[in-house]
Amino acid sequence: MKRTLKQLAAGAVTALGLTLATVPAQAADTIRIGSFLSVTGPASFLGDPELKTLELYIDKINERGGVLGKQLELVHYDDAGDASKARTFANRLLRQDRVDLIVGGSTTGATMAAVPLIQQAGVPFISLAGAETITTPVKKWVFKTPQSDRQAARRILMDMKERGFTKIGLISGTGGFGASGRNVTKEEAGNFGIEIVADETYNPKDTDTTAQLTRIRNTDGVQAILNFDFGQGPAIVTRNYAQLGIEIPFYQSHGVASDSFLELAGDAAEGLRLPASALLVADKLPESDPQYEVLNRYKSDYESRYNESVSTFGAYAYDGLQLAVQAINMAGGTDKAKVRDALESIDGAVGVTGTYRMSAEDHMGLDAESFRILQVEDGDWALTE
Amino acid sequence: MFSEFFQFTFSGITLGAIYALVALGFTLIYNASHVINFAQGEFLMIGGMGTVVLMDAGVPIYFAIPLAIAMAGVAGILLHRLAIAPAKNADVVTLIIITIGASIFLRGLAQVFWGKEYHALPNFSATESISLGGATLLTQSLWILGIAAVLVTALGLFFTRTALGKALLATSMNKDAASLMGIKTSAILMMAFGISAVIGAAAGVIVAPITLTSYDIGIMLGLKGFIAAAIGGLGSSTGAILGGLLLGLAEAYTAGYISSDYKDAVPFVIILAILFFLPNGLLGSRAVERV
């Protein structure tokens, strides 16, 4: 019994794989959008909403008659968060499926593994991953939709400057995200006239950080504390912060801008500030906000189709697809070089994550202002303006 | 400066109490079989995550906790029956490797069925922290220390005053002789796994309000607990508590007075020093090799 089930499953998987692979060969008169995302595996919280968003909007665009009279067709592979699989799938998208454009790459690892192949093949690629290295230095065919942690650090420092802080304490995790956040914060602080007078770290798996926080609190002149990290570490830091009764303003990074952080940190999160996508407060924005309509339409489209709340990660895919469609429209076809040039010339496309202004020097196109500074009030996010 | 010292001490006690409670779980199985059960951390995870999952399903917390602990007990017995017992003639190192495999398996199951999210459990007391000499201590740390003390006493009585406890010690000393004396050594071992799992799961529930809980919480806590147990002397319950507190305080003072960058090196430095100068730990029995 067990064996037959296994064989059945294996058969089904092969059959699925075959259909996926053969479909594009039959359909000639469509615009083929290739994608590789981490739909399963450790980064599934990224890939899952991204794929759902792509499917949702490709359906919607096709219902309205497609792009330039052609239907869009999604050719998707699940890299399961594995960079070497991502490279294999990128190769298949380029050589076998001959896609017109790629929107994908949930993680920085997957993206960077695929970049050399894509650069060589000369196909426009919009990545959905965060790291700055993806578009710095600029690579001819590579674009991305999420902000880098540098923009987040700038946005936080900007807010601190506005509130008149000049000396701050920094506490960050020693994992990749925290370490990179710590570096960019230290690099950027000087530009805002801010001095980092205390700099502490903790292991992402630590269960107590009161010793580090006590050290920061006892440093002379600290006016605010920033915790740059993601995962459960910031929740523990936030709880320790409340436990110690530290009164000075507290900042978190965009890494924890989600409702699950509020649940983990509980009352301790009250009053802290962080930079986040406007999507978190879509319903609280004034209607005059340039992003108001885009944000709320995406939110209601997604939530009514999938019955789960939207995430900022899905929004990266939304923006990626919209930029792709706009570039194809501007180029008047799918000629790869023309689409690439069109992508680079996009100036002022209002997306969910922010308003994109691409240029030859900037293939990400968002500035620090695309982050909104939110404050936790009564266990919910509130805009600070 | 004194308030700073107090705060580092309290941080150390909080950490140390957690490590101590985890370390206690290692003693029972070690005493019964000289096996270090590397799936001990996963019992903690079953306790914490099980409670969270049951509460999400609508079970009130005072039922969810005992149910989750019972679930871990069953898992412990199954671990013995399905993985340890079939390899009964294998040597200790093989059995230890089996427990490592079991820990990976349990973690995988939890990841698939319970998800990868972090969860928080509510504090046991309504007041979250108390202030002492300008420093704050979490009330949950007191709960942890109190329950650890109760467990140490109970384990002490169990080993010295009950026939079962003595049978367990006899089994660890000489399995063949014990079975010739009419002790069902396999049943004794199974019991040791079951009780260890229960102690581990209880620890997992009690520390969850501070450490949060997730499918992989057992890796770090299990490792630190093992280090604490080794510092204290494997098999000694009082040693486990001492080892845990020593480790926690050392980490907190390093993070506080030297640098948080070096904090993670502390456990390894301590364990190297202990292994070098006191190979049996602080309170470990001076083992005599029988020839």
PDB file of all heavy atoms in Angstrom, chain A residues 41 44 200-201 203 205-207 210-212 214-215 218 232 239 243-244, chain B residues 4 7 11 15 116 118 120 136 209 211 216 220 255-256 258 260-261 263-264:
ATOM      1  N   GLY A  41       9.894  25.214   1.666  1.00  0.00           N
ATOM      2  CA  GLY A  41      11.197  25.329   2.321  1.00  0.00           C
ATOM      3  C   GLY A  41      11.246  26.497   3.282  1.00  0.00           C
ATOM      4  O   GLY A  41      10.233  27.147   3.526  1.00  0.00           O
ATOM      5  N   SER A  44       9.565  29.897   2.608  1.00  0.00           N
ATOM      6  CA  SER A  44       8.230  29.827   2.003  1.00  0.00           C
ATOM      7  C   SER A  44       7.361  31.017   2.401  1.00  0.00           C
ATOM      8  O   SER A  44       6.426  31.360   1.703  1.00  0.00           O
ATOM      9  CB  SER A  44       7.541  28.523   2.397  1.00  0.00           C
ATOM     10  OG  SER A  44       7.402  28.466   3.789  1.00  0.00           O
ATOM     11  N   GLU A 200      26.095  47.089  20.649  1.00  0.00           N
ATOM     12  CA  GLU A 200      26.072  45.761  21.264  1.00  0.00           C
ATOM     13  C   GLU A 200      25.505  44.735  20.286  1.00  0.00           C
ATOM     14  O   GLU A 200      24.754  45.085  19.366  1.00  0.00           O
ATOM     15  CB  GLU A 200      25.198  45.775  22.523  1.00  0.00           C
ATOM     16  CG  GLU A 200      25.728  46.656  23.641  1.00  0.00           C
ATOM     17  CD  GLU A 200      26.968  46.073  24.302  1.00  0.00           C
ATOM     18  OE1 GLU A 200      27.059  44.835  24.417  1.00  0.00           O
ATOM     19  OE2 GLU A 200      27.849  46.859  24.712  1.00  0.00           O
ATOM     20  N   THR A 201      25.870  43.474  20.485  1.00  0.00           N
ATOM     21  CA  THR A 201      25.316  42.426  19.627  1.00  0.00           C
ATOM     22  C   THR A 201      24.784  41.286  20.485  1.00  0.00           C
ATOM     23  O   THR A 201      25.070  41.196  21.673  1.00  0.00           O
ATOM     24  CB  THR A 201      26.394  41.845  18.699  1.00  0.00           C
ATOM     25  OG1 THR A 201      27.442  41.311  19.505  1.00  0.00           O
ATOM     26  CG2 THR A 201      26.955  42.892  17.760  1.00  0.00           C
ATOM     27  N   ASN A 203      23.454  36.895  19.955  1.00  0.00           N
ATOM     28  CA  ASN A 203      23.266  35.760  19.048  1.00  0.00           C
ATOM     29  C   ASN A 203      21.767  35.650  18.722  1.00  0.00           C
ATOM     30  O   ASN A 203      20.944  35.791  19.614  1.00  0.00           O
ATOM     31  CB  ASN A 203      23.762  34.503  19.765  1.00  0.00           C
ATOM     32  CG  ASN A 203      23.709  33.283  18.891  1.00  0.00           C
ATOM     33  OD1 ASN A 203      22.656  32.933  18.368  1.00  0.00           O
ATOM     34  ND2 ASN A 203      24.830  32.633  18.732  1.00  0.00           N
ATOM     35  N   LYS A 205      19.865  33.374  18.557  1.00  0.00           N
ATOM     36  CA  LYS A 205      19.143  32.370  19.341  1.00  0.00           C
ATOM     37  C   LYS A 205      19.123  32.712  20.830  1.00  0.00           C
ATOM     38  O   LYS A 205      18.641  31.927  21.635  1.00  0.00           O
ATOM     39  CB  LYS A 205      19.797  30.993  19.154  1.00  0.00           C
ATOM     40  CG  LYS A 205      19.683  30.455  17.748  1.00  0.00           C
ATOM     41  CD  LYS A 205      18.518  29.500  17.646  1.00  0.00           C
ATOM     42  CE  LYS A 205      18.233  29.143  16.207  1.00  0.00           C
ATOM     43  NZ  LYS A 205      16.821  28.965  15.941  1.00  0.00           N
ATOM     44  N   ASP A 206      19.692  33.845  21.215  1.00  0.00           N
ATOM     45  CA  ASP A 206      19.750  34.197  22.632  1.00  0.00           C
ATOM     46  C   ASP A 206      18.361  34.357  23.230  1.00  0.00           C
ATOM     47  O   ASP A 206      17.428  34.774  22.552  1.00  0.00           O
ATOM     48  CB  ASP A 206      20.522  35.499  22.816  1.00  0.00           C
ATOM     49  CG  ASP A 206      22.012  35.250  22.887  1.00  0.00           C
ATOM     50  OD1 ASP A 206      22.397  34.073  22.887  1.00  0.00           O
ATOM     51  OD2 ASP A 206      22.774  36.226  22.928  1.00  0.00           O
ATOM     52  N   THR A 207      18.274  34.038  24.529  1.00  0.00           N
ATOM     53  CA  THR A 207      16.970  34.144  25.187  1.00  0.00           C
ATOM     54  C   THR A 207      16.920  35.313  26.154  1.00  0.00           C
ATOM     55  O   THR A 207      15.908  35.541  26.784  1.00  0.00           O
ATOM     56  CB  THR A 207      16.654  32.852  25.945  1.00  0.00           C
ATOM     57  OG1 THR A 207      17.759  32.539  26.785  1.00  0.00           O
ATOM     58  CG2 THR A 207      16.424  31.711  24.980  1.00  0.00           C
ATOM     59  N   THR A 210      19.249  41.368  28.491  1.00  0.00           N
ATOM     60  CA  THR A 210      19.204  42.477  29.449  1.00  0.00           C
ATOM     61  C   THR A 210      20.597  43.004  29.763  1.00  0.00           C
ATOM     62  O   THR A 210      20.754  44.190  30.028  1.00  0.00           O
ATOM     63  CB  THR A 210      18.513  42.052  30.762  1.00  0.00           C
ATOM     64  OG1 THR A 210      19.018  40.790  31.166  1.00  0.00           O
ATOM     65  CG2 THR A 210      17.018  41.944  30.585  1.00  0.00           C
ATOM     66  N   ALA A 211      21.618  42.125  29.715  1.00  0.00           N
ATOM     67  CA  ALA A 211      22.970  42.612  30.015  1.00  0.00           C
ATOM     68  C   ALA A 211      23.392  43.647  28.977  1.00  0.00           C
ATOM     69  O   ALA A 211      23.902  44.721  29.321  1.00  0.00           O
ATOM     70  CB  ALA A 211      23.953  41.447  30.041  1.00  0.00           C
ATOM     71  N   GLN A 212      23.150  43.343  27.688  1.00  0.00           N
ATOM     72  CA  GLN A 212      23.524  44.281  26.630  1.00  0.00           C
ATOM     73  C   GLN A 212      22.746  45.592  26.766  1.00  0.00           C
ATOM     74  O   GLN A 212      23.299  46.679  26.619  1.00  0.00           O
ATOM     75  CB  GLN A 212      23.253  43.672  25.246  1.00  0.00           C
ATOM     76  CG  GLN A 212      24.201  42.546  24.870  1.00  0.00           C
ATOM     77  CD  GLN A 212      23.651  41.185  25.228  1.00  0.00           C
ATOM     78  OE1 GLN A 212      23.053  40.995  26.288  1.00  0.00           O
ATOM     79  NE2 GLN A 212      23.842  40.197  24.360  1.00  0.00           N
ATOM     80  N   THR A 214      21.403  46.854  29.414  1.00  0.00           N
ATOM     81  CA  THR A 214      21.858  47.607  30.587  1.00  0.00           C
ATOM     82  C   THR A 214      23.103  48.409  30.248  1.00  0.00           C
ATOM     83  O   THR A 214      23.240  49.570  30.629  1.00  0.00           O
ATOM     84  CB  THR A 214      22.161  46.642  31.752  1.00  0.00           C
ATOM     85  OG1 THR A 214      20.991  45.863  31.998  1.00  0.00           O
ATOM     86  CG2 THR A 214      22.538  47.402  33.009  1.00  0.00           C
ATOM     87  N   ARG A 215      24.004  47.783  29.502  1.00  0.00           N
ATOM     88  CA  ARG A 215      25.221  48.498  29.086  1.00  0.00           C
ATOM     89  C   ARG A 215      24.874  49.724  28.256  1.00  0.00           C
ATOM     90  O   ARG A 215      25.457  50.796  28.442  1.00  0.00           O
ATOM     91  CB  ARG A 215      26.093  47.576  28.239  1.00  0.00           C
ATOM     92  CG  ARG A 215      27.219  46.925  29.000  1.00  0.00           C
ATOM     93  CD  ARG A 215      27.908  45.940  28.101  1.00  0.00           C
ATOM     94  NE  ARG A 215      28.900  46.585  27.257  1.00  0.00           N
ATOM     95  CZ  ARG A 215      30.211  46.410  27.422  1.00  0.00           C
ATOM     96  NH1 ARG A 215      30.659  45.663  28.404  1.00  0.00           N
ATOM     97  NH2 ARG A 215      31.066  46.985  26.614  1.00  0.00           N
ATOM     98  N   ASN A 218      23.373  52.497  30.362  1.00  0.00           N
ATOM     99  CA  ASN A 218      24.326  53.175  31.234  1.00  0.00           C
ATOM    100  C   ASN A 218      25.397  53.942  30.472  1.00  0.00           C
ATOM    101  O   ASN A 218      26.311  54.479  31.059  1.00  0.00           O
ATOM    102  CB  ASN A 218      24.983  52.164  32.176  1.00  0.00           C
ATOM    103  CG  ASN A 218      23.968  51.612  33.153  1.00  0.00           C
ATOM    104  OD1 ASN A 218      22.842  52.104  33.236  1.00  0.00           O
ATOM    105  ND2 ASN A 218      24.359  50.581  33.890  1.00  0.00           N
ATOM    106  N   GLN A 232      12.891  36.137  15.965  1.00  0.00           N
ATOM    107  CA  GLN A 232      12.392  36.250  17.336  1.00  0.00           C
ATOM    108  C   GLN A 232      13.288  37.095  18.221  1.00  0.00           C
ATOM    109  O   GLN A 232      12.868  37.549  19.267  1.00  0.00           O
ATOM    110  CB  GLN A 232      12.173  34.866  17.934  1.00  0.00           C
ATOM    111  CG  GLN A 232      13.372  34.223  18.601  1.00  0.00           C
ATOM    112  CD  GLN A 232      14.386  33.718  17.584  1.00  0.00           C
ATOM    113  OE1 GLN A 232      14.287  34.000  16.393  1.00  0.00           O
ATOM    114  NE2 GLN A 232      15.360  32.982  18.055  1.00  0.00           N
ATOM    115  N   ARG A 239      10.933  42.743  24.762  1.00  0.00           N
ATOM    116  CA  ARG A 239      10.433  42.350  26.081  1.00  0.00           C
ATOM    117  C   ARG A 239      11.417  42.746  27.185  1.00  0.00           C
ATOM    118  O   ARG A 239      11.021  43.235  28.242  1.00  0.00           O
ATOM    119  CB  ARG A 239      10.232  40.832  26.119  1.00  0.00           C
ATOM    120  CG  ARG A 239       8.986  40.397  25.365  1.00  0.00           C
ATOM    121  CD  ARG A 239       9.031  38.919  25.058  1.00  0.00           C
ATOM    122  NE  ARG A 239       7.700  38.425  24.777  1.00  0.00           N
ATOM    123  CZ  ARG A 239       7.044  37.567  25.562  1.00  0.00           C
ATOM    124  NH1 ARG A 239       7.599  37.098  26.650  1.00  0.00           N
ATOM    125  NH2 ARG A 239       5.823  37.175  25.241  1.00  0.00           N
ATOM    126  N   GLN A 243      10.993  45.131  30.377  1.00  0.00           N
ATOM    127  CA  GLN A 243      11.304  44.576  31.692  1.00  0.00           C
ATOM    128  C   GLN A 243      12.228  45.516  32.474  1.00  0.00           C
ATOM    129  O   GLN A 243      12.053  45.734  33.671  1.00  0.00           O
ATOM    130  CB  GLN A 243      11.974  43.210  31.502  1.00  0.00           C
ATOM    131  CG  GLN A 243      12.419  42.535  32.782  1.00  0.00           C
ATOM    132  CD  GLN A 243      13.543  41.540  32.524  1.00  0.00           C
ATOM    133  OE1 GLN A 243      13.689  41.024  31.418  1.00  0.00           O
ATOM    134  NE2 GLN A 243      14.342  41.270  33.542  1.00  0.00           N
ATOM    135  N   LEU A 244      13.231  46.077  31.775  1.00  0.00           N
ATOM    136  CA  LEU A 244      14.183  46.969  32.426  1.00  0.00           C
ATOM    137  C   LEU A 244      13.597  48.353  32.662  1.00  0.00           C
ATOM    138  O   LEU A 244      14.193  49.181  33.332  1.00  0.00           O
ATOM    139  CB  LEU A 244      15.460  47.096  31.573  1.00  0.00           C
ATOM    140  CG  LEU A 244      16.322  45.840  31.458  1.00  0.00           C
ATOM    141  CD1 LEU A 244      17.428  46.057  30.440  1.00  0.00           C
ATOM    142  CD2 LEU A 244      16.920  45.480  32.805  1.00  0.00           C
TER     143      LEU A 244
ATOM    144  N   GLU B   4      23.935  48.068  38.247  1.00  0.00           N
ATOM    145  CA  GLU B   4      24.390  47.397  37.036  1.00  0.00           C
ATOM    146  C   GLU B   4      24.783  45.951  37.363  1.00  0.00           C
ATOM    147  O   GLU B   4      24.368  45.009  36.693  1.00  0.00           O
ATOM    148  CB  GLU B   4      25.603  48.163  36.490  1.00  0.00           C
ATOM    149  CG  GLU B   4      25.953  47.848  35.076  1.00  0.00           C
ATOM    150  CD  GLU B   4      27.091  48.736  34.586  1.00  0.00           C
ATOM    151  OE1 GLU B   4      26.808  49.851  34.131  1.00  0.00           O
ATOM    152  OE2 GLU B   4      28.250  48.316  34.688  1.00  0.00           O
ATOM    153  N   GLN B   7      21.807  43.903  37.934  1.00  0.00           N
ATOM    154  CA  GLN B   7      21.098  43.571  36.701  1.00  0.00           C
ATOM    155  C   GLN B   7      21.795  42.440  35.963  1.00  0.00           C
ATOM    156  O   GLN B   7      21.150  41.522  35.461  1.00  0.00           O
ATOM    157  CB  GLN B   7      20.985  44.810  35.799  1.00  0.00           C
ATOM    158  CG  GLN B   7      20.061  44.606  34.627  1.00  0.00           C
ATOM    159  CD  GLN B   7      18.666  44.201  35.081  1.00  0.00           C
ATOM    160  OE1 GLN B   7      18.022  44.873  35.860  1.00  0.00           O
ATOM    161  NE2 GLN B   7      18.205  43.036  34.630  1.00  0.00           N
ATOM    162  N   SER B  11      20.188  38.840  35.149  1.00  0.00           N
ATOM    163  CA  SER B  11      20.195  38.276  33.791  1.00  0.00           C
ATOM    164  C   SER B  11      20.797  36.887  33.826  1.00  0.00           C
ATOM    165  O   SER B  11      20.302  35.953  33.204  1.00  0.00           O
ATOM    166  CB  SER B  11      21.025  39.135  32.844  1.00  0.00           C
ATOM    167  OG  SER B  11      20.537  40.430  32.802  1.00  0.00           O
ATOM    168  N   LEU B  15      19.031  33.339  32.815  1.00  0.00           N
ATOM    169  CA  LEU B  15      19.608  32.393  31.850  1.00  0.00           C
ATOM    170  C   LEU B  15      19.956  31.081  32.532  1.00  0.00           C
ATOM    171  O   LEU B  15      19.640  29.991  32.042  1.00  0.00           O
ATOM    172  CB  LEU B  15      20.891  32.983  31.252  1.00  0.00           C
ATOM    173  CG  LEU B  15      20.733  34.092  30.229  1.00  0.00           C
ATOM    174  CD1 LEU B  15      22.093  34.714  29.920  1.00  0.00           C
ATOM    175  CD2 LEU B  15      20.131  33.513  28.947  1.00  0.00           C
ATOM    176  N   LYS B 116       6.516  26.820  11.446  1.00  0.00           N
ATOM    177  CA  LYS B 116       7.844  27.317  11.771  1.00  0.00           C
ATOM    178  C   LYS B 116       7.806  28.634  12.535  1.00  0.00           C
ATOM    179  O   LYS B 116       8.813  29.239  12.803  1.00  0.00           O
ATOM    180  CB  LYS B 116       8.646  27.501  10.478  1.00  0.00           C
ATOM    181  CG  LYS B 116       9.081  26.172   9.890  1.00  0.00           C
ATOM    182  CD  LYS B 116       9.674  26.356   8.526  1.00  0.00           C
ATOM    183  CE  LYS B 116       8.622  26.766   7.533  1.00  0.00           C
ATOM    184  NZ  LYS B 116       9.030  26.642   6.148  1.00  0.00           N
ATOM    185  N   TYR B 118       7.382  31.432  15.511  1.00  0.00           N
ATOM    186  CA  TYR B 118       7.667  31.549  16.938  1.00  0.00           C
ATOM    187  C   TYR B 118       6.376  31.879  17.683  1.00  0.00           C
ATOM    188  O   TYR B 118       5.504  32.545  17.155  1.00  0.00           O
ATOM    189  CB  TYR B 118       8.700  32.645  17.181  1.00  0.00           C
ATOM    190  CG  TYR B 118      10.102  32.096  17.185  1.00  0.00           C
ATOM    191  CD1 TYR B 118      10.791  31.897  16.007  1.00  0.00           C
ATOM    192  CD2 TYR B 118      10.701  31.737  18.376  1.00  0.00           C
ATOM    193  CE1 TYR B 118      12.063  31.369  16.009  1.00  0.00           C
ATOM    194  CE2 TYR B 118      11.975  31.204  18.393  1.00  0.00           C
ATOM    195  CZ  TYR B 118      12.656  31.024  17.206  1.00  0.00           C
ATOM    196  OH  TYR B 118      13.900  30.489  17.208  1.00  0.00           O
ATOM    197  N   ALA B 120       4.619  32.796  21.778  1.00  0.00           N
ATOM    198  CA  ALA B 120       4.890  33.183  23.159  1.00  0.00           C
ATOM    199  C   ALA B 120       3.832  32.564  24.062  1.00  0.00           C
ATOM    200  O   ALA B 120       2.677  32.426  23.659  1.00  0.00           O
ATOM    201  CB  ALA B 120       4.854  34.698  23.291  1.00  0.00           C
ATOM    202  N   THR B 136      15.942  44.805  37.699  1.00  0.00           N
ATOM    203  CA  THR B 136      14.682  44.075  37.624  1.00  0.00           C
ATOM    204  C   THR B 136      14.926  42.587  37.370  1.00  0.00           C
ATOM    205  O   THR B 136      15.831  42.193  36.649  1.00  0.00           O
ATOM    206  CB  THR B 136      13.784  44.605  36.487  1.00  0.00           C
ATOM    207  OG1 THR B 136      14.554  44.637  35.300  1.00  0.00           O
ATOM    208  CG2 THR B 136      13.245  45.968  36.807  1.00  0.00           C
ATOM    209  N   PRO B 209       7.657  31.340  28.410  1.00  0.00           N
ATOM    210  CA  PRO B 209       7.320  32.771  28.506  1.00  0.00           C
ATOM    211  C   PRO B 209       8.547  33.669  28.335  1.00  0.00           C
ATOM    212  O   PRO B 209       8.418  34.819  27.938  1.00  0.00           O
ATOM    213  CB  PRO B 209       6.744  32.913  29.913  1.00  0.00           C
ATOM    214  CG  PRO B 209       6.230  31.559  30.241  1.00  0.00           C
ATOM    215  CD  PRO B 209       7.172  30.597  29.583  1.00  0.00           C
ATOM    216  N   THR B 211      11.799  32.476  26.790  1.00  0.00           N
ATOM    217  CA  THR B 211      12.590  32.176  25.590  1.00  0.00           C
ATOM    218  C   THR B 211      11.759  32.206  24.325  1.00  0.00           C
ATOM    219  O   THR B 211      12.302  32.172  23.240  1.00  0.00           O
ATOM    220  CB  THR B 211      13.210  30.777  25.683  1.00  0.00           C
ATOM    221  OG1 THR B 211      12.143  29.818  25.731  1.00  0.00           O
ATOM    222  CG2 THR B 211      14.046  30.612  26.930  1.00  0.00           C
ATOM    223  N   ASP B 216      12.384  24.755  16.519  1.00  0.00           N
ATOM    224  CA  ASP B 216      13.825  24.513  16.644  1.00  0.00           C
ATOM    225  C   ASP B 216      14.414  25.063  17.942  1.00  0.00           C
ATOM    226  O   ASP B 216      15.621  25.191  18.074  1.00  0.00           O
ATOM    227  CB  ASP B 216      14.568  25.078  15.436  1.00  0.00           C
ATOM    228  CG  ASP B 216      14.436  26.578  15.321  1.00  0.00           C
ATOM    229  OD1 ASP B 216      13.630  27.150  16.076  1.00  0.00           O
ATOM    230  OD2 ASP B 216      15.125  27.176  14.482  1.00  0.00           O
ATOM    231  N   MET B 220      19.250  24.985  20.569  1.00  0.00           N
ATOM    232  CA  MET B 220      20.077  25.849  21.403  1.00  0.00           C
ATOM    233  C   MET B 220      19.923  25.478  22.869  1.00  0.00           C
ATOM    234  O   MET B 220      20.908  25.309  23.579  1.00  0.00           O
ATOM    235  CB  MET B 220      19.682  27.305  21.149  1.00  0.00           C
ATOM    236  CG  MET B 220      20.673  28.314  21.645  1.00  0.00           C
ATOM    237  SD  MET B 220      20.545  28.622  23.403  1.00  0.00           S
ATOM    238  CE  MET B 220      18.959  29.420  23.479  1.00  0.00           C
ATOM    239  N   ALA B 255      28.872  39.379  28.808  1.00  0.00           N
ATOM    240  CA  ALA B 255      28.154  40.328  27.953  1.00  0.00           C
ATOM    241  C   ALA B 255      28.142  41.697  28.601  1.00  0.00           C
ATOM    242  O   ALA B 255      28.222  42.720  27.921  1.00  0.00           O
ATOM    243  CB  ALA B 255      26.737  39.847  27.697  1.00  0.00           C
ATOM    244  N   GLY B 256      28.048  41.742  29.917  1.00  0.00           N
ATOM    245  CA  GLY B 256      27.927  43.015  30.615  1.00  0.00           C
ATOM    246  C   GLY B 256      29.252  43.728  30.785  1.00  0.00           C
ATOM    247  O   GLY B 256      29.347  44.923  30.540  1.00  0.00           O
ATOM    248  N   ILE B 258      32.576  42.598  29.672  1.00  0.00           N
ATOM    249  CA  ILE B 258      33.618  42.509  28.646  1.00  0.00           C
ATOM    250  C   ILE B 258      33.025  42.962  27.310  1.00  0.00           C
ATOM    251  O   ILE B 258      33.095  44.116  26.960  1.00  0.00           O
ATOM    252  CB  ILE B 258      34.226  41.086  28.572  1.00  0.00           C
ATOM    253  CG1 ILE B 258      34.725  40.685  29.973  1.00  0.00           C
ATOM    254  CG2 ILE B 258      35.378  41.067  27.572  1.00  0.00           C
ATOM    255  CD1 ILE B 258      35.171  39.260  30.099  1.00  0.00           C
ATOM    256  N   SER B 260      29.614  41.814  24.400  1.00  0.00           N
ATOM    257  CA  SER B 260      28.627  40.822  23.988  1.00  0.00           C
ATOM    258  C   SER B 260      29.155  39.967  22.837  1.00  0.00           C
ATOM    259  O   SER B 260      28.659  38.886  22.579  1.00  0.00           O
ATOM    260  CB  SER B 260      27.320  41.507  23.603  1.00  0.00           C
ATOM    261  OG  SER B 260      27.551  42.651  22.832  1.00  0.00           O
ATOM    262  N   ASP B 261      30.196  40.479  22.130  1.00  0.00           N
ATOM    263  CA  ASP B 261      30.744  39.696  21.020  1.00  0.00           C
ATOM    264  C   ASP B 261      31.384  38.393  21.500  1.00  0.00           C
ATOM    265  O   ASP B 261      31.452  37.421  20.774  1.00  0.00           O
ATOM    266  CB  ASP B 261      31.795  40.513  20.266  1.00  0.00           C
ATOM    267  CG  ASP B 261      31.156  41.659  19.498  1.00  0.00           C
ATOM    268  OD1 ASP B 261      29.967  41.534  19.167  1.00  0.00           O
ATOM    269  OD2 ASP B 261      31.832  42.660  19.249  1.00  0.00           O
ATOM    270  N   LYS B 263      30.486  36.706  24.269  1.00  0.00           N
ATOM    271  CA  LYS B 263      29.599  35.951  25.143  1.00  0.00           C
ATOM    272  C   LYS B 263      29.431  34.496  24.713  1.00  0.00           C
ATOM    273  O   LYS B 263      29.426  33.591  25.540  1.00  0.00           O
ATOM    274  CB  LYS B 263      28.239  36.642  25.168  1.00  0.00           C
ATOM    275  CG  LYS B 263      27.201  35.971  25.996  1.00  0.00           C
ATOM    276  CD  LYS B 263      25.913  36.761  25.913  1.00  0.00           C
ATOM    277  CE  LYS B 263      25.371  36.798  24.494  1.00  0.00           C
ATOM    278  NZ  LYS B 263      24.842  35.511  24.029  1.00  0.00           N
ATOM    279  N   ASP B 264      29.319  34.281  23.393  1.00  0.00           N
ATOM    280  CA  ASP B 264      29.050  32.921  22.923  1.00  0.00           C
ATOM    281  C   ASP B 264      30.246  31.991  23.056  1.00  0.00           C
ATOM    282  O   ASP B 264      30.122  30.788  22.922  1.00  0.00           O
ATOM    283  CB  ASP B 264      28.561  32.950  21.469  1.00  0.00           C
ATOM    284  CG  ASP B 264      27.161  33.525  21.400  1.00  0.00           C
ATOM    285  OD1 ASP B 264      26.411  33.343  22.370  1.00  0.00           O
ATOM    286  OD2 ASP B 264      26.827  34.154  20.394  1.00  0.00           O
TER     287      ASP B 264
END
